Amino acid sequence: MTHAHAPTTPRSTLVVTAHAGDFVWRAGGAIALAAARGEKVTIACLTFGERGESARAWRQGKDLAQIKALRRDEAERAAATLGAEVRFLDAGDHPLLPTPELTDRLVALYRETQPDVVLTHPADDPYNGDHPAAHRMALEARILAQAIGYPADGEVIGAPPVFYFEPHQPEMSGFRPEVLLDITEVWETKRKAMEFLAAQRHLWDYYTDLAVRRGVQLRRNAGPNLGLAHRTLAEAYMRPYPQIAKELA
């Protein structure tokens, strides 16, 4: 007699980013790895980066509506390549400002997606105020989504671990590479997604070089017997909350 197994809900990752390109540069490898494992990845893109991260398009004479459409198209193609779904909240960048409506929408997204893992910006970035703003919104919405009395649709969430992805200027942002994620097997996927972001073409080589440097660090910290590829590529993350474990590893 064969017993049917109840279908299991795939793990869920929620990525909260300030601008349309952030999730690709900073967390594209983690997203592609999760998607390759059959997990659901949802990207909450708070803005299109239309004012502060689209200089090339402005210099080409495009107007605000055209730039938003351009950045939406780039982000949608990049997300599809990585295997994720992207949601645009169109909250406006430079500056990105919190509003009760935006908070409600983020809380609803947390409850809808029920994330097992959350990826977002770290707390500090002296070069771009939108990134710390997105950080604060992501963490506040996570807390509110756990509050049973908060007036939002959906079931309350648990306490998903949060990982901060690496900012563009880590030395100036208090970033420590506490977690090194091996993205070698999905690197070509990430690179392809990066190349959809033509509005920020100048960053393609920068983030390629960064992946190589973090891969060197990963190999140095992994020991000699893990069978890592000679050219290992990696992304770096920080953890704001304690890691929960039953044994040290």
Side-chain angles (χ1 to χ4, degrees):
M1 181 177 180
T2 302
H3 296 279
H5 293 284
T8 58
T9 302
R11 281 173 55 86
S12 170
T13 295
L14 178 62
V15 187
V16 182
T17 69
H19 310 112
D22 293 338
F23 69 90
V24 184
W25 313 120
R26 295 161 169 79
I31 292 169
L33 283 171
R37 294 191 298 264
E39 301 175 16
K40 179 175 177 56
V41 183
T42 307
I43 301 159
C45 194
L46 300 184
T47 83
F48 295 107
E50 63 270 16
R51 296 186 185 277
E53 301 209 341
S54 304
R56 184 181 182 191
W58 283 107
R59 292 190 182 107
Q60 290 172 343
K62 293 182 170 59
D63 62 26
L64 184 62
Q66 291 173 321
I67 292 171
K68 283 187 175 184
L70 170 68
R71 298 313 307 271
R72 174 191 283 271
D73 178 65
E74 289 180 351
E76 286 178 338
R77 289 191 290 164
T81 297
L82 296 172
E85 176 190 5
V86 60
R87 309 275 188 97
F88 299 101
L89 280 71
D90 194 13
D93 73 320
H94 283 70
L96 170 60
L97 299 173
T99 66
E101 179 188 10
L102 183 56
T103 298
D104 285 347
R105 293 172 69 190
L106 272 176
V107 172
L109 188 56
Y110 268 95
R111 291 188 175 179
E112 175 192 340
T113 58
Q114 293 289 312
D116 297 285
V117 172
V118 176
L119 308 180
T120 194
H121 299 270
D124 298 316
D125 187 338
Y127 295 95
N128 192 319
D130 289 354
H131 297 156
H135 156 88
R136 292 190 295 271
M137 294 177 201
L139 265 60
E140 179 185 25
R142 175 183 175 274
I143 293 169
L144 294 175
Q146 297 175 59
I148 194 168
Y150 189 84
D153 292 337
E155 296 294 325
V156 297
I157 68 169
V162 178
F163 292 84
Y164 296 160
F165 39 66
E166 184 166 4
H168 188 66
Q169 299 282 355
E171 302 89 349
M172 301 299 294
S173 303
F175 182 85
R176 288 172 52 86
E178 297 171 344
V179 178
L180 294 169
L181 180 68
D182 187 348
I183 62 168
T184 308
E185 67 183 82
V186 295
W187 169 249
E188 294 303 325
T189 301
K190 177 174 179 174
R191 175 71 195 203
K192 182 179 179 182
M194 285 165 50
E195 292 179 2
F196 283 122
L197 303 178
Q200 294 177 286
R201 187 188 185 102
H202 60 287
L203 295 179
W204 294 1
D205 289 342
Y206 175 89
Y207 281 99
T208 298
D209 293 343
L210 179 60
V212 172
R213 293 199 304 274
R214 293 307 187 197
V216 171
Q217 287 183 303
L218 186 152
R219 293 176 63 223
R220 174 64 181 82
N221 286 277
N225 299 315
L226 294 184
L228 296 173
H230 176 69
R231 186 172 186 263
T232 302
L233 297 109
E235 290 173 345
Y237 294 86
M238 285 180 67
R239 297 197 65 165
Y241 299 113
Q243 178 178 345
I244 307 304
K246 292 187 177 181
E247 63 181 66
L248 296 179

